[in-house]
Amino acid sequence: MNNGDNYKRRRKESFGQEDDYDDDSCSSDHEPKKKDLNGIITSLLLLEEQDKRDQEEQNEASNEEKSILDSTHKRKTRTMLEFYSNLQDYYSEIDETDRIKRKKSRTMAATVAVASVHQTENQAPSNNNNKQSGSGQQRRLWVKDRSNAWWDECNRPDYPEEEFKKAFRMSKSTFELICEELNSVIAKEDTTLRNAIPVKQRVAVCIWRLATGEPLRLVSKRFGLGISTCHKLVLEVCSAIRSVLMPKYLQWPDEDSLRKIKEEYEGISGIPNVVGSMYTTHIPIIAPKISVAAYFNKRHTERNQKTSYSITVQGVVDPRGVFTDVCIGWPGSMNDDQVLEKSALYQRANGGLLKGVWIVGSSGYPLMDWVLVPYTQQHLTWTQHAFNEKIGEIQRVAKEAFGRLKGRWCCLQKRTEVKLQDLPVVLGACCVLHNICEMRNEGLDPELKTELVDDEMVPEVALRSVSSMKARDAIAHNLLHHGLAGTAFL
């Protein structure tokens, strides 16, 4: 019995040892797997942490780059504003210097004249007692004798109307109207030294100079006046036109006029709520003494193979080709969209004065809530082609108006002798005179018509408003599906 019990006891002990051995082997197998799993989890956590750090660094880099771009833009804007402020101050100093010089020269001339008169009186011979003291004859300042026979001929009442219109780009009645409007501003009185130049001759000198672009020395010979006198007359009359006639003949339309303009443009193109057609042209100038790069016209230089400098004229016209808004004088290196952003029209639009209406521009302008431009992307649909064709008819109104402006006033086609700071006054006068001629149906000689060559540059940001893009698409859809679109694109 004892042997059996011992045997059983030994068997249990052996089985217990085997069980312990199995547990040890299992635990030894699980330990490496557990270590591998911990390593994988650790790696994943490290990778996730690394991704977070990379994302944070990328965000920091993008924010830094954005801040650099913003600061650069602000610095450029501040520099440009400072430049134009300094430019204005420079021109003001020049004007003040010229004014002081003119004042000194007039004072000196008057002093010399008075001195010569007194000297003549003192040196008069005492034996000249037979000369009558009551003769009433006045002494005058010596003036060079010049012939003004050409102007006297043009000023005759029986001078042919066609010849007058060919010379001054307008009829006699329109010329008389301008003289009457400006009479109170430019008329001068006779003095003891010389007779004043008549108002008609003053206006004629200015209009002839603008119409032909003739050099001042030739204008001087034609009208029998001095070169400096002619130059002074041109600036005085242009300034009077801008101050007296511009508020009357070049202004933004009232509500009744806007309604008529909308109807006329819709009749032309089928596009509703159009109140104007906009265009920007360049006027050649002589290389300025300061800020040459700002006025350098790269596109005209490349096309003409000749260094060109220019200033810009932006205008909005009604269906008759009459200017309703102009922005004059910005440097020729600026694109159309940049000139637009500097204009008073842009400021009025931002103030909400052009809400619900369209001004049609070329592809050089951005699409905005109030500026409607053609489609410019490649592979246009039929709807987009049809829209571009109809909007082109409105664009043509502004382009033809500028063509008549430059054809009627040939001084705009060549580099002028006028100083840069005086050019906006002269160009503004040309726009006002253009409006007067257009309102009075003064036709333009076909020989004077000129083709405009102004390069259109697509703006950097061509789309300024998503809602305007949807509105343009809706207009294009309505034009095509209501039978108002053209078919030339087919």
Side-chain angles (χ1 to χ4, degrees):
M1 238 0 238
N2 293 330
N3 293 335
D5 293 336
N6 293 333
Y7 175 76
K8 290 179 179 180
R9 189 180 301 112
R10 287 195 299 269
R11 288 287 303 271
K12 288 180 180 179
E13 290 175 355
S14 64
F15 283 137
Q17 292 175 357
E18 289 178 358
D19 290 340
D20 293 337
Y21 175 79
D22 290 339
D23 292 338
D24 293 339
S25 63
C26 288
S27 63
S28 63
D29 290 339
H30 284 303
E31 287 179 359
K33 292 181 179 179
K34 188 175 182 180
K35 290 180 179 179
D36 293 341
L37 184 60
N38 290 336
I40 292 173
I41 293 174
T42 304
S43 300
L44 292 174
L45 292 174
L46 290 174
L47 289 174
E48 185 177 0
E49 186 68 23
Q50 183 66 31
D51 289 341
K52 287 182 179 179
R53 285 200 299 269
D54 293 343
Q55 186 66 30
E56 290 176 357
E57 291 177 359
Q58 186 175 359
N59 291 338
E60 290 177 0
S62 63
N63 291 334
E64 184 178 356
E65 184 178 357
K66 184 178 180 181
S67 63
I68 293 174
L69 290 175
D70 291 341
S71 62
T72 303
H73 176 70
K74 291 180 181 178
R75 188 171 64 255
K76 287 183 178 179
T77 303
R78 186 168 58 253
T79 303
M80 180 175 289
L81 293 176
E82 290 177 356
F83 159 73
Y84 286 118
S85 176
N86 294 335
L87 184 64
Q88 189 66 31
D89 293 340
Y90 173 78
Y91 286 148
S92 300
E93 291 177 2
I94 292 179
D95 292 339
E96 184 65 20
T97 304
D98 291 343
R99 187 185 67 81
I100 293 173
K101 287 182 179 179
R102 288 195 298 268
K103 186 176 180 180
K104 288 182 178 180
S105 62
R106 287 195 298 267
T107 304
M108 187 177 297
T111 303
V112 171
V114 172
S116 62
V117 169
H118 285 303
Q119 184 178 3
T120 304
E121 291 177 351
N122 293 333
Q123 293 180 354
S126 58
N127 57 355
N128 195 14
N129 295 327
N130 58 348
K131 183 177 180 180
Q132 297 180 357
S133 59
S135 62
Q137 184 178 1
Q138 296 179 341
R139 293 180 174 84
R140 292 189 174 276
L141 186 68
W142 179 83
V143 179
K144 182 178 179 181
D145 187 20
R146 293 184 175 94
S147 173
N148 56 355
W150 182 85
W151 165 242
D152 291 339
E153 179 71 14
C154 293
N155 198 30
R156 286 192 297 107
D158 58 344
Y159 190 74
E161 180 74 26
E162 289 299 322
E163 293 296 324
F164 188 92
K165 188 172 183 178
K166 187 175 181 180
F168 296 98
R169 309 295 193 260
M170 62 184 68
S171 62
K172 289 184 179 181
S173 59
T174 302
F175 181 82
E176 294 284 349
L177 170 69
I178 295 173
C179 292
E180 291 176 6
E181 295 271 9
L182 299 179
N183 183 73
S184 60
V185 181
I186 64 175
K188 306 294 181 181
E189 296 182 355
D190 294 342
T191 66
T192 56
L193 299 178
R194 65 179 70 189
N195 293 328
I197 301 172
V199 170
K200 283 189 176 181
Q201 190 173 4
R202 289 172 177 271
V203 176
V205 169
C206 178
I207 293 180
W208 175 265
R209 166 81 166 137
L210 300 180
T212 63
E214 240 183 19
L216 287 172
R217 56 183 178 82
L218 298 182
V219 178
S220 168
K221 293 180 180 179
R222 189 176 295 274
F223 286 89
L225 300 170
I227 295 177
S228 60
T229 302
C230 290
H231 178 67
K232 183 180 178 182
L233 288 178
V234 171
L235 294 182
E236 284 182 355
V237 175
C238 284
S239 180
I241 290 173
R242 188 174 182 180
S243 60
V244 176
L245 300 183
M246 182 174 280
K248 184 176 181 179
Y249 292 99
L250 202 163
Q251 58 182 345
W252 190 252
D254 55 21
E255 289 299 326
D256 292 336
S257 300
L258 284 178
R259 188 181 66 256
K260 295 178 182 178
I261 291 173
K262 290 179 185 178
E263 293 174 355
E264 291 183 30
Y265 271 128
E266 189 169 1
I268 293 173
S269 63
I271 300 176
N273 297 323
V274 176
V275 297
S277 179
M278 181 165 56
Y279 188 82
T280 299
T281 191
H282 288 256
I283 307 299
I285 62 172
I286 299 173
K289 295 181 180 179
I290 60 173
S291 305
V292 178
Y295 295 90
F296 176 68
N297 193 320
K298 181 179 178 182
R299 296 180 294 278
H300 285 199
T301 299
E302 292 175 349
R303 185 177 61 251
N304 301 329
Q305 297 298 311
K306 183 179 180 181
T307 304
S308 300
Y309 301 90
S310 65
I311 65 172
T312 59
V313 177
Q314 172 192 284
V316 179
V317 302
D318 65 11
R320 296 178 297 168
V322 174
F323 289 105
T324 57
D325 182 88
V326 290
C327 177
I328 301 172
W330 289 101
S333 63
M334 298 174 64
N335 294 332
D336 293 352
D337 61 317
Q338 295 173 327
V339 176
L340 176 62
E341 291 175 359
K342 298 292 184 181
S343 65
L345 180 68
Y346 188 85
Q347 304 302 324
R348 291 203 301 270
N350 286 343
L353 298 180
L354 296 178
K355 189 175 182 179
V357 297
W358 294 108
I359 293 178
V360 172
S362 65
S363 58
Y365 300 100
L367 178 64
M368 295 188 287
D369 290 330
W370 56 280
V371 178
L372 190 62
V373 299
Y375 293 96
T376 56
Q377 70 267 25
Q378 295 181 346
H379 310 298
L380 300 178
T381 64
W382 282 17
T383 304
Q384 293 169 343
H385 272 296
F387 174 83
N388 283 1
E389 181 181 339
K390 301 305 290 185
I391 204 175
E393 296 177 2
I394 301 178
Q395 291 174 334
R396 196 175 301 115
V397 174
K399 192 168 184 178
E400 290 178 353
F402 271 96
R404 293 194 297 274
L405 173 72
K406 286 190 172 183
R408 183 175 279 124
W409 313 116
C410 295
C411 67
L412 306 180
Q413 302 179 33
K414 58 183 73 174
R415 297 185 299 176
T416 178
E417 300 168 349
V418 180
K419 294 180 180 179
L420 186 61
Q421 64 267 28
D422 295 328
L423 265 180
V425 176
V426 175
L427 299 181
C430 290
C431 294
V432 174
L433 293 173
H434 166 88
N435 278 7
I436 294 175
C437 292
E438 294 290 318
M439 291 176 180
R440 294 177 64 84
N441 298 319
E442 298 284 355
L444 182 65
D445 190 339
E447 296 180 357
L448 297 175
K449 290 183 178 180
T450 179
E451 288 291 332
L452 298 183
V453 182
D454 292 299
D455 303 289
E456 295 177 358
M457 299 293 293
V458 177
E460 295 180 1
V461 183
L463 177 63
R464 304 285 179 90
S465 170
V466 177
S467 60
S468 61
M469 181 178 65
K470 295 179 180 179
R472 181 175 65 175
D473 292 339
I475 294 173
H477 177 83
N478 291 335
L479 286 176
L480 187 64
H481 293 279
H482 289 81
L484 299 175
T487 57
F489 63 93
L490 297 176

